[in-house]
């Protein structure tokens, strides 16, 4: 076995549901939550012995005693993160991409860099599963470095729970996985967003399959694709999830579905 | 014009369902979808006109001229985004998905081998009919979505009705860009441990921008325990609770059939109408003040 990325496009279709259940039925698995803006896997896995690693980026520091006001840094910055106000270079923190360009271009060596914390990675243990959570600090804009840091904990059997959408964060999250599971639900919204994620995994040449969650017949929404599993809508599962339980732990039928899903995915990876 | 942004933190909580209903109920004739990563509002508002579309240039991308590249590797060394890789013939190429367009590689290349070119990273759409609807779609794998969100908001026009904006999930770049400058935020949460957890993070985000917000709970009957906890949280933090929506199977059916919930009499619709009434009262009260 190797690593599986779980993605969906639309939020709330069941990425975390599939991820934590899958991680729970696999021995010695690693669960990595890359939905760093709103990571929820830990609410279900409830990890213990948590170690925390801070994630930092480089932030420019301007020494105004050395600055001669040439404004080369201001005009170089592609992100408009520097402004020249009151004869001083001013940094607009939230716009800075930490590219380091301003410190290179400054002829006075007036710009240095310091580490700035943007979030953290928490590593804990939940039964047989290692639980890794990337967390973006509130009011920080971009967190790709947190995703990269979280992915350093990938092991033999890894489940990567991705953010919604199909942006650069999702791309980073699945960059190292061997296989992708697209979690969908039979709704117009989900179908529309599924097409977007399908384009993403196809572009990255990742093998993938589809899990239809909250499955119902005759909705008129057809996923004409490689269907790995269908999970019926079940109010009892919804209730278990709402209070943070992992349903495969006490639902034999669902456990069977996930065991089959897992062996299907293993076969697909082996054949690839 | 007064603007109301619909957010949730957690995806799938019901932002678009609630936003589309409120657009109808407020008779809003100017509205937007800023979930540029996965826009869905058009599927339910079903605009009858063709949109005016424009390319959106989010950032630049570096391109290496292999004729000029001597393979010194200076560019790859300085790139903070690991976007420059060595090719099999010892030259260098740019990974367009990882490149953030900072131009540091162009700056350090002594052989003039790197050019920054404008990159189409998405598309904005404006529907102009009886209603005015601004939306956009980010290209797959692109970043800088906050800038596109700002563009969608800039594309809005003045209106004498309330402007409803359907937001994106999360608390990061696009959400921050969407909160900036709006008058009110409606947080749609759900009675699940995830919904509540994410609501608290997005609430903090709203607070950090000093934007007033209120809360409604979707699928409030999945866990009445958690609904109680959300209500308690709101009471303790002086946040107005504008309503609870029951789990209603008919909602999905309506959406799949392209029917706006506000046009029906299903239980969820009645609950959303009450939410509309409560928000309207808050806005009127603020106006008097």
């Amino acid at each position: 076995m190797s690593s599986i990325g779980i993605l969906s496009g639309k939020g709330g279709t069941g990425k975390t549901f599939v991820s934590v259940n899958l991680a729970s039925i696999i021995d010695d698995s690693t669960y990595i939550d890359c939905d760093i803006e709103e990571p929820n896997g830990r609410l279900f896995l409830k990890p213990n012995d948590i170690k925390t690693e801070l994630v930092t980026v480089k932030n420019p520091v301007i020494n105004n005693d050395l600055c001669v006001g040439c404004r080369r840094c201001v005009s170089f910055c592609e992100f408009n993160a520097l402004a020249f106000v009151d004869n001083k270079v001013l940094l607009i923190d939230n716009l800075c991409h930490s590219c380091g360009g301003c410190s290179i271009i400054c002829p006075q060596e007036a710009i240095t860099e310091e580490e700035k914390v943007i979030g953290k990675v928490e590593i804990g243990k939940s039964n047989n599963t290692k639980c890794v959570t990337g967390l973006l600090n509130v009011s920080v804009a971009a967190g790709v470095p947190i995703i990269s840091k979280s992915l350093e904990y990938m092991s033999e059997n890894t489940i990567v729970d991705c953010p919604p959408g199909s942006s650069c964060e999702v791309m980073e999250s699945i960059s190292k996985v061997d296989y992708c599971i697209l979690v969908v639900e039979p709704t117009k919204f989900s179908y529309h967003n599924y097409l977007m994620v399908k384009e993403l995994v196809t572009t990255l040449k990742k093998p993938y399959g589809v899990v239809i969650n909250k499955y119902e017949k005759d909705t008129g929404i057809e996923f004409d694709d490689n269907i790995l599993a269908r999970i019926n809508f079940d109010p009892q599962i919804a209730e278990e999830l709402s209070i943070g339980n992992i349903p495969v732990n006490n639902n034999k039928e669902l456990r069977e579905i996930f065991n089959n899903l897992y062996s299907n995915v293993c076969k697909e990876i082996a054949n690839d | 014009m007064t603007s109301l942004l619909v957010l949730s933190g957690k995806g799938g909580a019901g932002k678009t369902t609630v936003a589309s209903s409120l657009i109808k109920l407020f008779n809003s004739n100017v509205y937007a979808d800023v979930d540029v990563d996965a826009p869905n509002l058009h599927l339910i508002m079903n605009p009858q006109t063709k949109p005016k579309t424009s390319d959106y240039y989010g950032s630049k991308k570096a391109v290496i001229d292999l004729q000029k590249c001597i393979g010194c590797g200076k560019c790859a060394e300085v790139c903070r985004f690991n976007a420059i890789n060595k090719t099999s013939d010892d030259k260098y190429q740019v990974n367009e998905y990882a490149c953030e367009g900072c131009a540091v590689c162009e700056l350090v290349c002594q052989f003039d081998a790197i050019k920054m070119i404008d990159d189409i990273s998405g598309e904005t759409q404006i529907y102009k009919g009886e209603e005015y609807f601004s939306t956009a779609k980010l290209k797959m794998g692109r970043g800088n979505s906050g800038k596109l969100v700002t563009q969608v908001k800039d594309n809005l026009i003045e209106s004498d009705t309330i402007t409803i904006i359907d937001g994106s999930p999360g608390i990061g770049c696009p959400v921050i860009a969407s909160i900036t400058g709006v008058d009110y935020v409606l947080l749609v949460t759900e009675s699940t441990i995830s919904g509540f957890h994410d609501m608290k993070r997005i609430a903090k985000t709203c607070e950090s921008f000093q934007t007033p917000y209120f809360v409604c709970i979707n699928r409030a009957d999945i866990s009445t325990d958690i609904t109680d906890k959300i209500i308690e949280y709101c009471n303790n933090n002086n946040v107005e609770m504008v309503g609870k929506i029951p789990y209603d199977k008919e909602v999905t059916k309506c959406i799949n059939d392209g029917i706006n919930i506000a046009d029906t009499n299903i239980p969820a619709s009645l609950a959303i109408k009450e939410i509309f009434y409560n928000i309207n009262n808050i806005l009127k009260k603020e106006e008097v003040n």
Side-chain angles (χ1 to χ4, degrees):
Chain A
M1 214 316 266
S2 11
S3 51
I4 309 172
I6 315 287
L7 53 168
S8 72
K10 175 167 159 48
T13 60
K15 283 182 297 301
T16 301
F17 162 66
V18 170
S19 301
V20 296
N21 281 293
L22 210 47
S24 298
I25 62 151
I26 304 171
D27 286 334
D28 293 320
S29 59
T30 301
Y31 165 88
I32 302 181
D33 202 337
C34 285
D35 187 2
I36 56 166
E37 294 183 28
E38 297 288 18
N40 288 333
R42 61 187 176 145
L43 303 176
F44 299 89
L45 290 165
K46 305 179 182 71
N48 304 311
D49 302 328
I50 292 172
K51 279 189 301 178
T52 302
E53 217 179 310
L54 294 177
V55 181
T56 59
V57 294
K58 290 196 162 66
N59 225 27
V61 183
I62 298 129
N63 182 340
N64 280 302
D65 294 336
L66 295 177
C67 174
V68 293
C70 72
R71 302 179 209 191
R72 279 194 212 176
C73 55
V74 176
S75 58
F76 178 78
C77 181
E78 287 283 345
F79 312 107
N80 301 318
L82 295 169
F84 197 70
V85 187
D86 284 342
N87 273 319
K88 275 183 195 164
V89 175
L90 188 81
L91 171 72
I92 303 141
D93 236 29
N94 270 337
L95 297 177
C96 178
H97 285 223
S98 305
C99 71
C102 52
S103 61
I104 295 176
I105 205 163
C106 177
Q108 303 300 317
E109 292 182 16
I111 303 180
T112 50
E113 290 181 301
E114 64 177 7
E115 298 292 331
K116 174 190 150 194
V117 177
I118 56 162
K120 59 184 175 184
V121 178
E122 288 182 352
I123 307 102
K125 192 88 187 136
S126 162
N127 295 322
N128 262 329
T129 303
K130 186 195 259 182
C131 177
V132 180
T133 305
L135 267 156
L136 180 74
N137 283 353
V138 168
S139 77
V140 171
V144 172
I146 302 173
I147 296 176
S148 316
K149 189 85 192 162
S150 305
L151 292 176
E152 286 175 13
Y153 291 91
M154 279 177 83
S155 69
E156 233 351 65
N157 306 312
T158 300
I159 304 293
V160 179
D161 193 356
C162 297
S166 57
S167 67
C168 53
E169 277 90 1
V170 181
M171 210 164 220
E172 175 69 19
S173 303
I174 61 169
S175 57
K176 291 177 184 146
V177 302
D178 302 304
Y179 192 86
C180 289
I181 294 179
L182 315 189
V183 183
V184 301
E185 58 183 26
T187 66
K188 213 175 178 178
F189 290 169
S190 176
Y191 183 78
H192 181 238
N193 300 152
Y194 144 82
L195 294 177
M196 295 162 33
V197 194
K198 187 174 156 167
E199 189 193 343
L200 179 77
V201 291
T202 314
T203 307
L204 291 182
K205 300 193 178 67
K206 298 278 178 190
Y208 74 95
V210 175
V211 169
I212 308 180
N213 190 21
K214 305 174 206 170
Y215 178 72
E216 277 180 272
K217 276 184 187 150
D218 307 325
T219 52
I221 310 282
E222 293 295 332
F223 295 90
D224 191 15
D225 214 325
N226 174 24
I227 310 292
L228 300 166
R230 291 179 178 82
I231 302 169
N232 289 332
F233 176 75
D234 178 348
Q236 214 176 335
I237 295 179
E239 202 187 321
E240 292 264 342
L241 288 172
S242 77
I243 53 174
N245 289 341
I246 299 178
V248 285
N249 289 342
N250 45 28
N251 180 331
K252 266 191 190 157
E253 211 180 311
L254 190 69
R255 200 178 177 87
E256 197 52 39
I257 292 175
F258 272 92
N259 280 330
N260 285 336
L261 168 63
Y262 180 52
S263 71
N264 275 344
V265 170
C266 288
K267 267 184 230 154
E268 297 233 347
I269 294 175
N271 290 338
D272 192 57
Chain B
M1 87 182 157
T2 307
S3 52
L4 172 71
L5 168 68
V6 183
L7 294 174
S8 68
K10 178 167 162 38
K15 281 181 301 297
T16 303
T17 303
V18 171
S20 59
S21 304
L22 290 179
I23 288 167
K24 275 266 163 135
L25 295 165
F26 274 106
N27 252 324
S28 174
N29 50 24
V30 175
Y31 51 90
D33 186 355
V34 295
D35 187 1
V36 297
D37 247 343
N40 282 333
L41 186 63
H42 62 287
L43 296 175
I44 196 80
M45 295 316 294
N46 204 11
Q48 295 303 311
T49 51
K50 275 223 160 106
K52 183 178 159 255
T53 63
S54 314
D55 287 338
Y56 160 72
Y57 294 93
S59 63
K60 293 181 175 161
K61 300 272 176 204
V63 177
I64 299 176
D65 182 343
L66 293 176
Q67 301 295 323
K68 291 182 179 170
C69 175
I70 62 142
C72 71
K74 192 103 210 266
C75 53
E77 217 172 275
V78 295
C79 177
R80 292 268 170 91
F81 311 105
N82 298 320
I84 303 181
N85 308 310
K86 207 172 188 161
T87 62
S88 51
D89 53 353
D90 284 340
K91 296 200 172 180
Y92 286 84
Q93 67 183 15
V94 178
N95 171 354
E96 61 165 314
Y97 297 111
C99 176
E100 298 204 9
C102 68
V104 172
C105 53
E106 183 192 34
L107 177 68
V108 300
C109 179
Q110 290 163 6
F111 305 93
D112 198 22
I114 304 183
K115 286 271 160 300
M116 302 304 296
I117 54 158
D118 284 327
D119 174 62
I120 299 175
S121 36
E123 182 184 89
T124 60
Q125 293 154 343
I126 299 172
Y127 296 88
K128 276 185 214 170
E130 278 169 33
E131 292 158 358
Y132 185 102
F133 173 29
S134 170
T135 179
K137 169 80 194 74
L138 190 72
K139 234 166 95 178
M140 169 202 82
R142 288 299 193 262
N144 237 334
S145 49
K147 227 170 126 185
L148 181 53
V149 166
T150 305
Q151 185 64 56
V152 174
K153 284 165 65 191
D154 286 348
N155 284 349
L156 284 167
I157 52 168
E158 282 292 324
S159 158
D160 44 9
T161 63
I162 180 163
T163 298
I164 309 271
I165 304 169
D166 189 10
S168 31
I171 60 166
C173 180
V175 171
I176 289 172
S178 67
I179 293 178
T180 317
V182 298
D183 299 309
Y184 300 95
V185 172
L186 170 63
L187 300 185
V188 181
T189 183
E190 57 175 27
S191 68
T192 64
I193 188 169
S194 318
F196 183 33
H197 168 267
D198 296 353
M199 183 202 100
K200 285 186 274 189
R201 274 168 70 87
I202 184 67
K204 280 204 190 99
T205 309
C206 292
E207 283 158 21
S208 76
F209 287 89
Q210 292 168 346
T211 307
Y213 63 95
F214 21 85
V215 170
C216 71
I217 310 174
N218 194 11
R219 304 179 200 115
D221 43 359
I222 295 181
S223 165
T224 48
D225 263 7
I226 292 176
T227 291
D228 290 343
K229 279 184 192 154
I230 296 172
I231 293 172
E232 193 190 323
Y233 176 91
C234 290
N235 286 339
N236 291 343
N237 290 280
N238 278 325
V239 175
E240 196 118 15
M241 163 70 60
V242 290
K244 295 186 282 187
I245 307 166
Y247 172 72
D248 186 345
K249 269 189 104 160
E250 295 300 316
V251 170
T252 314
K253 273 190 198 143
C254 290
I255 286 169
N256 284 348
D257 292 340
I259 297 169
N260 194 311
I261 303 297
D263 293 334
T264 70
N265 280 316
I266 60 173
S269 175
L270 302 180
I272 293 177
K273 282 165 189 161
E274 200 178 313
I275 290 169
F276 155 72
Y277 179 81
N278 288 335
I279 295 176
N280 210 11
N281 276 345
I282 296 173
L283 300 187
K284 273 186 195 152
K285 234 189 277 166
E286 296 278 330
E287 234 170 67
V288 175
N289 291 339

